[in-house]
Amino acid sequence: MESTMRSIGEMARASGLGVSALRFYDGAGVFVPAAVDPHTGYRWYADEQLPDARLLARLRRVGMPLAGITRVLTGTPAEAGAELDAHLRRLEDGLTDARRELSTVRALLDSREFPVPQTRLTVPAPALAAALDAVRFAAPADAALPAVAGVFLDAEDGALHLVATDRYRLAVADCPATLDGPPASALLPTALADAARALLADAEEAELTFDGDHFTVQAAGRALSGERAEADFPDYRRLLRLEPTHRITLTAAQLRALPEDAGSTTLTATPADALPGTPTPTDLLVHVNRDYLLEAAGTAEQLVLELGGPIGPLAIRFPARTDTFSLLMPIAR
């Protein structure tokens, strides 16, 4: 049976995709026409392409990325199902973020009429000191970057998250915490974070207090207070949702033995390093700032590198410290 060819306008009306969307997906190589007139450039689509076009329209409505759409359309049923599950998790995480942001907005609106409630945290001092040490390398002191110039503390029941970034790298560390009061967060200027770290020496327990614009830390009979930064710290949680395709495990000796070229190091992942579900794995080369990579590794004896592409963030994890990891942006070569 011969298939009927449809013009781009007819395919648009039948599938629910706009003409401009069909042109875009053709240019991206995601959904190409069955034929293109060599003289006029008109696109023609076959009848059997209509089911995929309608599927594409649905995936587009739920905001699936291009790479994910491609895997759904061209992958095996198992790969397509895994991609749908992964996107559903992203949507659920996004809804969680939206709820968190709206909760913060409500709290800010309420604070116009009522005082901001005080929050106290009790944390093991050694764990807090270790967390501060783990993120300090990524905390800039440059006041010209007010939104990130410091260490961000994000407190919720059971955990205190510490985050630092200089826009090229991001470090995250957690420590256990007992919360008294509502969840709270504060960006501590780098100098204040350093002073708080010095206060923790030889202490067993520390108490942190968030009180409006003021932050106080008490440990071993010593106390320190300071003003939190007014800038809004970036939504770091969104940056943590990576989709790695390769994973490499290195010892400290192997890391330091990597060759250096003009201050950069090239990381090579082979198909053997590909994670399950990665379609058609190939060699992957990622170039990173060597000094930044070594700073992130610190004194760890072993680390795990998760790569998601030549221009995607590189995740640096530690088998011995599951509560600490960092991200590093690659560099162009």
Side-chain angles (χ1 to χ4, degrees):
M1 180 181 296
E2 294 184 0
S3 64
T4 302
M5 301 297 281
R6 300 171 183 260
S7 69
I8 191 170
E10 292 170 333
M11 178 59 80
R13 288 189 292 273
S15 66
L17 290 168
V19 169
S20 60
L22 285 169
R23 289 174 178 152
F24 171 77
Y25 288 121
D26 178 17
V30 174
F31 186 72
V32 300
V36 178
D37 189 303
H39 301 293
T40 64
Y42 288 169
R43 297 169 172 86
W44 296 95
Y45 296 84
D47 260 356
E48 52 265 31
Q49 290 184 282
L50 182 57
D52 275 359
R54 288 174 171 167
L55 182 61
L56 175 53
R58 290 181 179 274
L59 296 174
R60 185 170 183 255
R61 284 197 291 272
V62 297
M64 179 170 283
L66 282 179
I69 290 175
T70 302
R71 285 192 284 270
V72 171
L73 294 180
T74 63
T76 65
E79 290 171 342
E83 192 62 39
L84 295 177
D85 291 341
H87 187 60
L88 181 58
R89 287 193 297 272
R90 286 194 295 270
L91 294 176
E92 291 170 342
D93 289 340
L95 181 58
T96 299
D97 286 342
R99 287 194 175 113
R100 184 183 299 110
E101 290 297 329
L102 291 176
S103 177
T104 300
V105 169
R106 290 181 188 277
L108 291 172
L109 292 174
D110 290 343
S111 69
R112 294 179 178 180
E113 298 185 44
F114 306 101
V116 178
Q118 186 182 83
T119 295
R120 284 192 177 89
L121 281 175
T122 302
V123 300
L128 178 58
L132 284 167
D133 291 342
V135 304
R136 178 61 180 85
F137 72 92
D142 187 358
L145 303 173
V148 295
V151 175
F152 185 66
L153 305 184
D154 190 14
E156 58 185 357
D157 193 21
L160 174 64
H161 311 290
L162 294 85
V163 190
T165 180
D166 59 4
R167 302 181 300 173
Y168 304 103
R169 50 202 174 155
L170 180 143
V172 180
D174 296 341
C175 69
T178 301
L179 185 69
D180 180 12
S185 61
L187 175 60
L188 303 188
T190 304
L192 179 57
D194 288 343
R197 171 62 181 91
L199 198 72
L200 300 173
D202 303 322
E204 294 184 1
E205 190 174 81
E207 182 179 273
L208 312 181
T209 304
F210 300 85
D211 191 0
D213 293 334
H214 296 276
F215 167 80
T216 302
V217 54
Q218 300 180 68
R222 303 181 295 269
L224 171 71
S225 296
E227 297 285 331
R228 57 197 287 184
E230 295 182 2
D232 288 332
F233 195 77
D235 184 1
Y236 71 94
R237 294 176 187 265
R238 291 180 182 270
L239 302 176
L240 307 185
R241 299 189 193 114
L242 304 177
E243 296 183 4
T245 58
H246 295 72
R247 181 177 291 129
I248 306 172
T249 300
L250 295 175
T251 65
Q254 289 172 324
L255 176 64
R256 287 168 173 77
L258 291 173
E260 178 181 357
D261 180 12
S264 70
T265 288
T266 300
L267 303 172
T268 303
T270 69
D273 302 313
L275 296 174
T278 300
T280 58
T282 60
D283 285 346
L284 175 63
L285 302 181
V286 179
H287 309 290
V288 297
N289 182 297
R290 180 180 177 83
D291 291 340
Y292 284 0
L293 179 58
L294 292 176
E295 281 186 332
T299 59
E301 291 298 320
Q302 188 179 59
L303 62 156
V304 177
L305 306 180
E306 293 181 346
L307 296 75
I311 61 173
L314 164 75
I316 305 168
R317 303 184 186 276
F318 309 95
R321 293 183 289 156
T322 57
D323 57 357
T324 300
F325 76 100
S326 62
L327 304 180
L328 177 61
M329 293 302 299
I331 58 178
R333 287 287 302 273

